[in-house]
Amino acid sequence: MGNKPGRPKNQTARREALVDAAGRAIAERGLEGLRIKDIAAEAGMSAGSVLYYYPEMGELVLEVHRGAVERYLAARQKAADGMDRATGAAARLRALVGSGLPGSSGDAVHGLLFELHRRADRSSGHATLMASLFAREVALYATVLEVGAAVGEFTLTEPVTDLARNLVALEDGYGLHIVSRNAELTPDVARRLLLGYARTVTGCPEL
């Protein structure tokens, strides 16, 4: 009886370890080649232990997707919030653009997200996560754009939501090319193109 209070915490830790291990396995092998024994090897557990905590592979993969979305959004929010309060909207927008692109073709976070997004056409759970990620990224951009317009730094050419959606869609498109090893679309090139679009639609030469 003395061990019971610690059990839920231990089970939570094991589930988190399995989600992390599954994420690494997916990033390395892809979803199509993912096997229970691969996840078990990454986690240092038996295949039976994996199945004990996650009897359905789909449930585990969904948890990986959910965790990847939250970590990615937290990093983007941190980039936007990390600027000094006196920093202008243009600098905040530049920081936000930089946080949304893969750092290289081997970027683990973006590679994992793109791999998991492939499940959206066959799973309502994955589709919901993908749609939620898009909406929350749009909200991040919309906030910066609205503030910039309010203080007179930006003169927006289109409605805020439309511009924010375009910025996120451009990031996604460029990001996919980057992780797909398109040599003509490096992170630096993608960032330059995004900032060029941002300058055009905000009328802000500081971008």
Side-chain angles (χ1 to χ4, degrees), residues 12-26 31 34-43 45-47 49-68 71 112 116 119 123 126 129:
T12 298
R14 283 180 175 271
R15 284 178 176 272
E16 290 175 350
L18 281 172
V19 170
D20 289 342
R24 293 193 299 273
I26 292 170
L31 281 169
L34 186 65
R35 298 170 297 179
I36 290 292
K37 70 177 186 178
D38 297 326
I39 299 170
E42 284 285 347
M45 300 180 187
S46 67
S49 294
V50 176
L51 291 170
Y52 173 79
Y53 289 103
Y54 289 99
E56 297 293 333
M57 175 79 83
E59 180 187 355
L60 176 54
V61 173
L62 189 62
E63 283 300 312
V64 173
H65 198 172
R66 185 175 290 112
R71 287 193 300 274
L112 179 60
L116 291 166
R119 286 285 179 98
S123 163
H126 288 282
L129 284 171

